[in-house]
Amino acid sequence: MSFEHIPAADCNHCAKRFTNIFCQAKYDSLQEINAEKICTQYKKGEFIFKEGTRPHGVFCVNRGKIKLAKLGDDGKEQITRLVKPGDPLGYRALLSGDLYSSSAISIEESGVCFIPKELFLTILQKDSNLALEMMKLLSDDLRKAELQITHLAQKPVRERVAEAILFIKETYGFEPDGITIDAQFSREDIANIVGTSTETAIRLLSEFNKDKIILLIGKKIQILDLKKLLKTANIND
């Protein structure tokens, strides 16, 4: 791997200062995290951690975009979560004492801060604010997982592809033009979010493009008709 350590970003001046869960910690705890964390730069396609390995700490995304993905029995990737700056990574396996159930892979050049296991657990024990926020986060993860399982089991693939586009948009937002999603995903990546074949994803995306719901520009997606996209995904606005 060609990742490199970079000067640690200052938690007190982080761009995600008010949305990062670790910044909900008490002042003293935040200073401990700030002093001991290690920040690393990852290139596109590099692993932050791999499925089946043991966690030694937690991560927080400082910049860039990351996907969490599992390998199925057939070797096909299933994207289970998209991660944006300010989001934590690897906390569930660390708290449960399990191996990582998925891999974290950089979608674009990203900066990630690592907080050692001993420090993280010590702060959790003494900082009720951070412990409560972690409980909320784990509860939200469970709710999203249950929803994803339900949709995979019950929703038609066409609805799931539309929902995947909305999922990417909700995670990364729009570029300044207000219609172009601020992320680039291959057709295979979208298929791996949906849980379908690449061929099916390509066909349905082409249909959405033809119906002027979206506009495909390489790996970029513009949402031309948000209401129609919501209706296609069977989601109430």
Side-chain angles (χ1 to χ4, degrees), residues 20-53:
N20 184 333
I21 188 170
F22 295 111
C23 292
Q24 307 304 314
K26 295 177 182 176
Y27 178 80
D28 291 345
S29 300
L30 184 60
Q31 300 316 302
E32 288 184 67
I33 292 171
N34 199 33
E36 293 195 36
K37 71 181 188 297
I38 299 169
C39 295
T40 304
Q41 180 172 288
Y42 296 86
K43 293 182 179 179
K44 179 181 178 180
E46 289 187 325
F47 287 82
I48 290 81
F49 55 78
K50 290 188 176 183
E51 181 179 354
T53 59

Side-chain angles (χ1 to χ4, degrees), residues 51 83 97 136 143 168 173 193:
E51 181 179 354
V83 184
K136 290 179 181 177
R143 179 186 62 81
I168 297 170
I193 294 172

Side-chain angles (χ1 to χ4, degrees), residues 2 73 203 217 222:
S2 57
D73 294 337
R203 176 175 58 80
I217 308 172
Q222 290 185 346

